[in-house]
Amino acid sequence: MNKQQRSTARAVRIDPNIVLEVHDLIKTYTVGNSTITALNNVNLTIKKGEFIAVVGPSGAGKTTLINCLGALDFPDSGKIIYNVDAKGMGLDVTQMTNKQHKKMRLRKIGLIFQFYNLFPILTAYENVELPMVIDKKDSKVREEKVKSLLKRIGLTERMEHLPTQMSGGEQQRVTIARALVNEPLIILADEPTGELDTETTTNIMKIFLNLKKAGESILMVTHNVRIAEVADRVITLTDGEFTGEKTGGKSIEEIYKF
Amino acid sequence: MRKAKKSKQQGLVFQEPKDYELDPNAMIQTFDLTKIYNITEGIEIRALNGVSIDIKKGEFVSVMGPSGSGKTTLLNMIGALDNPTSGAVYINRTNIAHMDDKQRTNLRLKEIGFIFQFYNLVPVLSAYENVELPMLFAARTKQEIEKNVNKFLDLVGLSDKKDHLPSELSGGEQQRVAIARALCNEPSILIADEPTGELDTKMGMEIVKLLRELNLELNQTILMVSHDPMVGALAERILKMRDGKIIETVDTKN
């Protein structure tokens, strides 16, 4: 959807129990003379408090999906409707202006990346605080929120540490706190355990399960089909299409047979 | 911004006063710097093994050496991103080990500009917002922020892409944003860790030429790590490292 076709997103009705509805999403890229279809007619509904995993190999369209849902990119066509208020009114991010997109990214969507993407010269505390600084939130509000989140993910002791002084798992926990700091509607995680060993992966998944228990909605894309089974639903993405779905809900102990 | 706590950082080793000979013209000096990592019990890696360097104000110096020779570790010590096991780092004649957390944060935000191999831009923020970040954390005024962000995005040739997200920029453009971000608080020193490591040769040379121009026009002191001889040779002086030591210094002006 190009800029000329977009205006201001109008509110549409959405089931109050649903956090996100995706309709007929298509995204293509042109490389040289050929067109690659990264997402082909993707449909998805995520209920509030649901934990969904999308699995697929490299090149299946996982990151494109996260980028479109995360307001980092615009699809060619389709709808991505977020339930932005408690009264059952939704907004379609594909119809948004760049300014509205920015607000969605800062306030409504919590993004987690494979490579953490922390700012190396800032401490753990400052990295978590970052979206609130950009959003010009009051310093007292920031301090209270950042400290409570660092406590929640067990990094209070490390808040003055820089990313170089933390392990990969600790850095990913910082990004989880950063994603939560503006109390988003949903957490979108792109291969959150791609750089981590099995033990650290299970720790990160335990945090995700705790977040789910606390009512957070999560969409995680991963190539790790085993760990995906902790999610409520596991959807398979193949060549840009959803080709299968199964129930997950397994415990970490079941998956790794500890 | 939140006030930094006065507590010492974990692992920080305060030096006993020694008679270090401070060079009045030096911007960066290290004395007998060592860094030892304990991998597991009984196994340690000596990443830096007695490194003493002296970089003058306005100098452009590159550090070269094979992977694992200690280049990045040296940069991290100088940039106060990590703490040495022993030895001392002086920035502008001040021992950074004697700084408290707040002073070290100020050093990283205001005195040193950092450029990383993987750009380390925040993916959800536009080019403009990425550049303004260090200024927001340094509590600069709105007017100062607007002036400097526009000035440095213009300097790196990206004024027309300031609203673009990192995912909408090429690798070379992302690194230019990172350079503008490193410059926005007008630091005394630029530290660049493999700034061309992810770029093709042409783009890499453009980035290093940009650094050279900053060095010549703004008299910016630059310390750059590279493993590419063509890139490293554009500096005035090359420090060659191996096994945590400086094994050779080459003056490229001669």
Side-chain angles (χ1 to χ4, degrees), chain A residues 181-230:
Chain A
V181 80
N182 276 339
E183 299 177 7
L185 295 169
I186 192 167
I187 298 285
L188 301 177
D190 187 0
E191 295 279 10
T193 60
E195 293 297 298
L196 305 174
D197 61 32
T198 306
E199 191 187 340
T200 318
T201 294
T202 58
N203 289 337
I204 295 293
M205 283 306 108
K206 280 178 189 166
I207 292 176
F208 276 33
L209 289 170
N210 282 336
L211 292 175
K212 181 198 142 49
K213 217 181 272 177
E216 303 285 351
S217 312
I218 303 167
L219 174 73
M220 169 177 77
V221 303
T222 178
H223 68 271
N224 188 336
V225 290
R226 282 177 85 192
I227 204 68
E229 292 192 82
V230 299

Side-chain angles (χ1 to χ4, degrees), chain A residues 39-71:
Chain A
L39 294 174
N40 193 9
N41 245 9
V42 166
N43 289 283
L44 175 68
T45 300
I46 304 178
K47 287 187 199 146
K48 279 184 184 169
E50 209 177 8
F51 180 5
I52 308 272
V54 173
V55 295
S58 179
K62 302 191 299 294
T63 296
T64 306
L65 179 66
I66 289 286
N67 285 348
C68 288
L69 302 188

Side-chain angles (χ1 to χ4, degrees), chain B residues 53 55 61-64 237-241 246 248-249:
Chain B
I53 60 172
I55 296 171
V61 175
S62 68
V63 182
M64 301 190 67
R237 197 150 58 97
I238 302 170
L239 306 175
K240 292 191 175 173
M241 283 190 83
I246 305 284
E248 191 186 355
T249 301

Side-chain angles (χ1 to χ4, degrees), chain B residues 200-210 230-231 234:
Chain B
D200 62 36
T201 308
K202 186 171 170 265
M203 197 63 80
M205 290 312 278
E206 277 180 24
I207 291 292
V208 181
K209 278 181 186 159
L210 175 62
M230 275 172 68
V231 168
L234 286 173

Side-chain angles (χ1 to χ4, degrees), chain A residues 102 105 119 121 125 164-165, chain B residues 2 81 114 124 129 181:
Chain A
K102 178 187 159 184
R105 284 195 299 270
F119 192 10
I121 68 168
Y125 182 101
T164 48
Q165 298 165 322
Chain B
R2 188 179 51 97
L81 291 177
F114 293 87
V124 302
E129 291 161 341
R181 181 180 65 182

Side-chain angles (χ1 to χ4, degrees), chain A:
Chain A
M1 206 151 302
N2 63 40
K3 207 174 172 179
Q4 284 72 38
Q5 290 171 301
R6 288 183 266 127
S7 52
T8 298
R10 285 188 191 156
V12 288
R13 282 248 156 247
I14 188 167
D15 183 332
N17 298 315
I18 288 169
V19 69
L20 169 65
E21 270 183 15
V22 180
H23 298 285
D24 307 322
L25 204 63
I26 294 176
K27 175 73 182 175
T28 58
Y29 294 104
T30 306
V31 182
N33 291 329
S34 54
T35 301
I36 294 166
T37 305
L39 294 174
N40 193 9
N41 245 9
V42 166
N43 289 283
L44 175 68
T45 300
I46 304 178
K47 287 187 199 146
K48 279 184 184 169
E50 209 177 8
F51 180 5
I52 308 272
V54 173
V55 295
S58 179
K62 302 191 299 294
T63 296
T64 306
L65 179 66
I66 289 286
N67 285 348
C68 288
L69 302 188
L72 289 168
D73 201 353
F74 287 98
D76 297 355
S77 62
K79 287 179 181 169
I80 301 168
I81 301 166
Y82 278 101
N83 190 349
V84 289
D85 70 9
K87 296 168 195 156
M89 293 311 285
L91 282 179
D92 182 357
V93 294
T94 69
Q95 296 297 320
M96 287 182 177
T97 59
N98 287 338
K99 209 172 168 185
Q100 288 175 312
H101 240 202
K102 178 187 159 184
K103 274 190 185 165
M104 281 300 290
R105 284 195 299 270
L106 270 183
R107 296 178 183 167
K108 303 291 182 191
I109 301 166
L111 281 151
I112 296 168
F113 302 94
Q114 178 174 0
F115 299 105
Y116 327 130
N117 290 90
L118 298 176
F119 192 10
I121 68 168
L122 300 180
T123 61
Y125 182 101
E126 290 162 339
N127 266 292
V128 175
E129 187 188 27
L130 197 148
M132 296 183 100
V133 173
I134 297 279
D135 207 17
K136 314 271 190 299
K137 293 264 173 73
D138 175 75
S139 65
K140 279 217 167 124
V141 175
R142 295 203 305 256
E143 184 169 349
E144 200 178 307
K145 188 75 194 170
V146 174
K147 283 189 172 166
S148 93
L149 277 171
L150 284 168
K151 192 177 172 192
R152 194 166 162 192
I153 56 155
L155 280 181
T156 301
E157 303 289 305
R158 312 278 271 158
M159 68 180 180
E160 296 292 346
H161 286 223
L162 292 162
T164 48
Q165 298 165 322
M166 288 186 281
S167 68
E170 286 168 339
Q171 289 186 57
Q172 196 57 297
R173 278 150 69 192
V174 174
T175 70
I176 293 170
R178 184 178 65 180
L180 290 165
V181 80
N182 276 339
E183 299 177 7
L185 295 169
I186 192 167
I187 298 285
L188 301 177
D190 187 0
E191 295 279 10
T193 60
E195 293 297 298
L196 305 174
D197 61 32
T198 306
E199 191 187 340
T200 318
T201 294
T202 58
N203 289 337
I204 295 293
M205 283 306 108
K206 280 178 189 166
I207 292 176
F208 276 33
L209 289 170
N210 282 336
L211 292 175
K212 181 198 142 49
K213 217 181 272 177
E216 303 285 351
S217 312
I218 303 167
L219 174 73
M220 169 177 77
V221 303
T222 178
H223 68 271
N224 188 336
V225 290
R226 282 177 85 192
I227 204 68
E229 292 192 82
V230 299
D232 300 323
R233 287 193 283 147
V234 184
I235 300 170
T236 306
L237 182 65
T238 315
D239 297 332
E241 293 182 33
F242 282 166
T243 51
E245 180 174 331
K246 63 178 182 179
T247 306
K250 284 192 181 173
S251 69
I252 288 166
E253 288 74 17
E254 257 180 291
I255 290 168
Y256 285 108
K257 303 264 187 288
F258 286 146

